[in-house]
Amino acid sequence: MDVNLEETIVKLQTWNGSVQLLRQLNAQLAMAAPNIIQQSFSEIQFLTVATRLITAQAPTQNTSSDIAERRELCQQIMVRLFDVVESSMLLQHFSQFFIMCLRHEQIFLREFALRQIRRGTVDGLCVGPTVIEQLIRLLSDDNLSVVKMASDVLVTCGSTSSQSTQQLFSEEHIALFQQISRINETIRFRVHEVVSRIAVTKAECIAILVSRGLLQSLVNELHTVDILVQLNCVQLMADLAETEHGLDFLYSCGVIDSMDQCLINADADPMMSLLLPGLIRFFGSVASRHPNEVLDRHRNFVTLVFDILTGGEEHVVIATDTIRVIGATPAGKLALHNQGAQFIKCMQVIGRMIAGGHAKTKSMALLTLAALIHINLADQSAELLLITQQWFNETHSKTLDLLVSISRQPFPDLRCSTLRVFKSMAALPWGQSVMAHHPGFPEYLLDRTTELEKEGKDCKYEVIDVLVNMPFTADHMGWSYLMRLKDVYKEGPYFIKPESEVATEEAG
């Protein structure tokens, strides 16, 4: 046991404000092993020292000149002391100390206590009602870092089990949530966010929140006249819709139908049009998991997205990305295919965006094409292969010519987006056939000089990777070419030929 450390601890309990003593303790703790620190303190000594470290950070008339150093030393010592405390002991022995820190005016102490409480709650340990009360109050803190940490801890506390959800949303705590929600709109939505984050974790959590009216408060925000409030509400609704139980709740209380009506209003009301991006993303997210249901039931959404895309309106990038999200799955492809000629027009628009759009629009269109024609090997039915080939052909009169021309342009982002399309093609029998019969394309794939930056090299190597590992590559591109691909594959994405080999090839 370190006698010097024990002596310093005893001295600190009757400390007279000397910075030298803090320097000494900080240095000793930095050198001591965790078990030595644990053995050097009794629990009472530990709390006494920790409390003295808080009071020592306040400036006094005699020590104002060295307050910055004293404060920094105290903070370092506190961190070193609590780092050796097992997480299972934190809430059991130091809850009152943490409450003192949470109430302190210093941001460091509030954040310090939140970090320690978070360590304890990660192990599923119960947080007492007094600590929870202070955590709720911190949602109204002026410091955003403190707010975020408090929110994270509350979500952990409220989502461990149905019992923890009930404890967090007891009658007394709900009253406190309501009290701070009345301070202003920003804090009200911080509360909504905590509620919605807990709701998405488990079906039993959302059932408790519904029974106590907490989610209905969020739903009511959608019906206000304040567009900014509605924007925030739509975002939280989108998070809820990411889970099946959250989506079931939104359908059960009529939220989905209300948002569908908002799409109609947004088309006619200039102010409501501010909601369009959020609404489109919301329905797109839901449609990515339930494509048939959304595209059949919510025709306003389908019509709006197609109209934006074909009309070249300001939200065309969002509409394009929505098509990408929906069409990324086999079910989504079939649902889009069922839209018939209307969707073929969309593919032609995507082709025009690739051919002549701005860089951002062009890149998004390329990534959308890559997602639409991508099919995992296990999902490659004759129907899906036929659909994706038709979409590729409808994109442009000479789709691969267009893509090859972009792959030769001096814009790394566009080249990488184009390589994503090539990667999707490489996984398909018809895609390989198109590649193999395009003059110069097989040689392009083997040419390492087309990409000089890491991201480009990685993207091109991914195309090679897919071709090497598809079972039908030899059928469409030939055995000899497959052997050359395997050589490149074995060399890796960053291979550089030795200068002697290059000179020999040039001489030959």
Side-chain angles (χ1 to χ4, degrees), residues 299-481:
R299 297 306 303 174
N300 292 329
F301 163 68
V302 177
T303 301
L304 180 63
V305 170
F306 286 176
D307 285 351
I308 290 174
L309 197 58
T310 56
E313 297 181 23
E314 60 176 320
H315 300 304
V316 67
V317 172
I318 296 171
T320 307
D321 190 47
T322 301
I323 294 293
R324 178 188 64 81
V325 170
I326 297 172
T329 64
K333 295 183 202 312
L334 293 172
L336 290 172
H337 174 67
N338 290 337
Q339 306 307 309
Q342 196 174 15
F343 188 68
I344 294 299
K345 290 181 181 178
C346 290
M347 292 305 304
Q348 293 166 352
V349 171
I350 289 171
R352 290 196 290 272
M353 292 165 63
I354 293 173
H358 297 295
K360 182 179 179 181
T361 305
K362 185 176 292 192
S363 181
M364 176 57 69
L366 286 164
L367 294 175
T368 299
L369 177 59
L372 289 174
I373 65 171
H374 172 76
I375 316 172
N376 290 326
L377 184 60
D379 298 320
Q380 290 184 12
S381 65
E383 183 181 17
L384 281 175
L385 288 171
L386 188 62
I387 288 170
T388 52
Q389 186 173 13
Q390 180 192 14
W391 288 350
F392 184 82
N393 291 336
E394 292 288 352
T395 301
H396 192 268
S397 58
K398 295 182 178 180
T399 306
L400 190 52
D401 283 345
L402 173 62
L403 296 174
V404 169
S405 69
I406 296 173
S407 72
R408 292 171 177 163
Q409 294 177 8
F411 307 111
D413 289 347
L414 289 179
R415 290 203 308 274
C416 287
S417 297
T418 305
L419 285 164
R420 299 295 184 199
V421 181
F422 294 158
K423 180 182 176 182
S424 295
M425 293 176 66
L428 306 172
W430 66 259
Q432 289 190 3
S433 181
V434 170
M435 288 176 166
H437 291 89
H438 189 278
F441 192 85
E443 291 72 23
Y444 156 78
L445 287 179
L446 298 173
D447 184 0
R448 292 182 178 275
T449 64
T450 61
E451 299 301 330
L452 302 178
E453 298 178 5
K454 181 181 182 300
E455 186 178 4
K457 291 177 182 291
D458 288 338
C459 288
K460 196 168 190 181
Y461 186 75
E462 288 174 10
V463 180
I464 304 295
D465 186 355
V466 172
L467 286 170
V468 167
N469 289 288
M470 284 296 113
F472 41 75
T473 301
D475 298 334
H476 297 283
M477 306 195 81
W479 274 107
S480 61
Y481 185 71

Side-chain angles (χ1 to χ4, degrees), residues 144-383:
L144 292 181
S145 175
V146 170
V147 171
K148 184 182 183 307
M149 293 175 71
S151 298
D152 291 343
V153 175
L154 284 170
V155 171
T156 302
C157 291
S159 58
T160 305
S161 64
S162 57
Q163 182 180 359
S164 68
T165 309
Q166 291 170 343
Q167 179 188 15
L168 177 58
F169 296 104
S170 66
E171 187 175 338
E172 294 79 7
H173 292 154
I174 289 175
L176 184 55
F177 275 121
Q178 292 172 339
Q179 177 185 327
I180 66 168
S181 293
R182 288 191 286 270
I183 295 175
N184 58 45
E185 177 188 301
T186 299
I187 296 170
R188 187 169 78 249
F189 267 89
R190 289 174 185 172
V191 173
H192 286 324
E193 183 180 3
V194 168
V195 171
S196 64
R197 286 177 63 191
I198 292 173
V200 302
T201 57
K202 297 183 181 73
E204 52 264 35
C205 289
I206 199 171
I208 294 169
L209 295 169
V210 170
S211 69
R212 302 191 180 184
L214 292 159
L215 280 176
Q216 189 58 47
S217 298
L218 174 59
V219 170
N220 293 340
E221 302 280 7
L222 189 63
H223 304 294
T224 65
V225 295
D226 189 323
I227 296 297
L228 294 179
V229 169
Q230 289 181 318
L231 278 171
N232 290 326
C233 184
V234 168
Q235 180 56 57
L236 294 179
M237 296 294 188
D239 295 339
L240 274 177
E242 289 290 324
T243 63
E244 292 301 317
H245 56 268
L247 187 60
D248 289 343
F249 163 74
L250 295 176
Y251 268 117
S252 68
C253 62
V255 168
I256 306 293
D257 291 333
S258 295
M259 295 177 79
D260 196 34
Q261 184 62 41
C262 285
L263 288 172
I264 301 173
N265 298 338
D267 199 32
D269 185 343
M271 287 299 294
M272 286 293 289
S273 67
L274 295 173
L275 282 176
L276 268 183
L279 291 170
I280 292 172
R281 288 193 182 97
F282 173 85
F283 280 103
S285 175
V286 177
S288 68
R289 287 171 290 114
H290 303 279
N292 289 317
E293 182 177 355
V294 172
L295 269 59
D296 290 345
R297 181 171 176 178
H298 300 287
R299 297 306 303 174
N300 292 329
F301 163 68
V302 177
T303 301
L304 180 63
V305 170
F306 286 176
D307 285 351
I308 290 174
L309 197 58
T310 56
E313 297 181 23
E314 60 176 320
H315 300 304
V316 67
V317 172
I318 296 171
T320 307
D321 190 47
T322 301
I323 294 293
R324 178 188 64 81
V325 170
I326 297 172
T329 64
K333 295 183 202 312
L334 293 172
L336 290 172
H337 174 67
N338 290 337
Q339 306 307 309
Q342 196 174 15
F343 188 68
I344 294 299
K345 290 181 181 178
C346 290
M347 292 305 304
Q348 293 166 352
V349 171
I350 289 171
R352 290 196 290 272
M353 292 165 63
I354 293 173
H358 297 295
K360 182 179 179 181
T361 305
K362 185 176 292 192
S363 181
M364 176 57 69
L366 286 164
L367 294 175
T368 299
L369 177 59
L372 289 174
I373 65 171
H374 172 76
I375 316 172
N376 290 326
L377 184 60
D379 298 320
Q380 290 184 12
S381 65
E383 183 181 17

Side-chain angles (χ1 to χ4, degrees), residues 11-21 52 60 62-63:
K11 290 179 182 178
L12 191 63
Q13 293 177 73
T14 56
W15 182 56
N16 62 359
S18 166
V19 173
Q20 182 57 40
L21 187 62
R52 292 303 301 271
T60 63
N62 297 328
T63 61

Side-chain angles (χ1 to χ4, degrees), residues 487-506:
D487 289 340
V488 175
Y489 178 74
K490 289 175 184 176
E491 291 167 350
Y494 314 119
F495 176 78
I496 300 175
K497 284 186 178 181
E499 291 185 10
S500 58
E501 288 188 26
V502 175
T504 301
E505 290 180 3
E506 290 177 351

